[in-house]
Amino acid sequence: MTRASNTQGGPVTPSKEGLPAWLDPVVRAVETVRPRQLSRFLPPEDGAGRQSAVLILFGEGERGPELLLMERASSLRSHAGQPSFPGGALDPEDGDPQGDGPLRAALREAEEETGLDPSGVQLFGVLPRLYIPVSGFVVTPVLGWWREPSPVGVVDPNETARVFTVPVVDLTDPAHRATTVHPSGHRGPAFLVESALVWGFTAGIIDRLLHFAGWERPWDREKQVPLDWRA
């Protein structure tokens, strides 16, 4: 199990031991999914891109399984006002980007952005690295089980507008699903939940996890939400 002390220098090792049974489909999906099944944007072969990581944290709330999300501050230069997973670029102290650096970075960023106590998080898997062309980030999605929930909230208003959880049952509800259409013509999945429009990279990951875990329900892909050029 991952403990807080592990973020201070010891090795961080994912463990599937003792996870709730409802996470089994997610564990299987993480073990079998291939990079191109997640996104058509994969890391540049020349090694370009800034190494980063996000924490996909599953907890259990009043309405069952839920995910932790945050809304980025509207003043930020990139992805302003956009709901996202906690995460960010790797720091030198996180360690080897090809080793457990992304795991350590995901926990560190989640703590810095949401006040999360990493000692209550059990990391259980890592998805293939993906690429965000607009920002040049190479992102490692790290999955965790919120074994011992801790209070979370906005730590720095300059970075984060709010921190919230979304029940998985709302994410799978067809009424909350739509397709975003960017002026550039790019289309992608979106979720209208908790007074937020979750789209882009974050929505793409959620969409694929729901699909490969077998939780996806049929939804109207013709229901569209337009985005403006600032998005």
Side-chain angles (χ1 to χ4, degrees):
M1 188 185 306
T2 302
R3 290 294 182 189
S5 58
N6 289 347
T7 65
Q8 305 303 318
V12 179
T13 307
S15 169
K16 303 177 183 68
E17 184 179 344
L19 295 175
W22 58 261
L23 265 176
D24 287 349
V26 178
V27 172
R28 285 195 296 271
V30 172
E31 290 173 341
T32 57
V33 72
R34 310 309 304 159
R36 289 207 177 276
Q37 291 177 309
L38 290 174
S39 173
R40 62 191 178 96
F41 298 115
L42 302 183
E45 293 183 4
D46 62 3
R50 190 173 183 193
Q51 296 293 329
S52 63
V54 296
L55 179 64
I56 303 174
L57 185 59
F58 285 92
E60 194 149 8
E62 295 179 359
R63 297 177 57 214
E66 59 186 19
L67 275 175
L68 178 68
L69 295 177
M70 49 174 273
E71 195 168 298
R72 296 167 60 82
S74 57
S75 56
L76 292 176
R77 281 184 301 178
S78 63
H79 310 294
Q82 196 171 336
S84 67
F85 299 117
L90 268 67
D91 284 348
E93 59 265 30
D94 293 324
D96 184 4
Q98 305 304 319
D100 65 2
L103 285 72
R104 203 182 307 279
L107 289 173
R108 175 185 55 75
E109 285 282 347
E111 182 176 14
E112 291 176 0
E113 292 177 330
T114 73
L116 171 84
D117 181 356
S119 69
V121 175
Q122 177 180 341
L123 301 183
F124 65 86
V126 178
L127 288 171
R129 284 180 171 83
L130 303 174
Y131 187 59
I132 304 181
V134 67
S135 58
F137 279 111
V138 174
V139 185
T140 300
V142 179
L143 288 92
W145 156 236
W146 210 351
R147 178 181 290 279
E148 299 168 18
S150 53
V152 291
V154 174
V155 176
D156 183 354
N158 293 318
E159 286 197 3
T160 309
R162 65 172 173 145
V163 176
F164 58 103
T165 56
V166 180
V168 171
V169 67
D170 284 349
L171 293 167
T172 59
D173 186 341
H176 296 158
R177 304 214 53 181
T179 297
T180 51
V181 183
H182 194 274
S184 66
H186 179 73
R187 299 161 64 94
F191 300 85
L192 298 132
V193 288
E194 301 297 324
S195 305
L197 173 64
V198 183
W199 63 282
F201 177 84
T202 303
I205 292 287
I206 295 174
D207 171 77
R208 293 296 82 196
L209 277 177
L210 296 180
H211 175 77
F212 287 110
W215 291 349
E216 184 180 39
R217 295 165 57 190
W219 57 283
D220 181 7
R221 295 170 189 271
E222 298 305 312
K223 177 182 173 184
Q224 298 183 359
V225 177
L227 299 170
D228 63 28
W229 276 114
R230 291 166 297 176

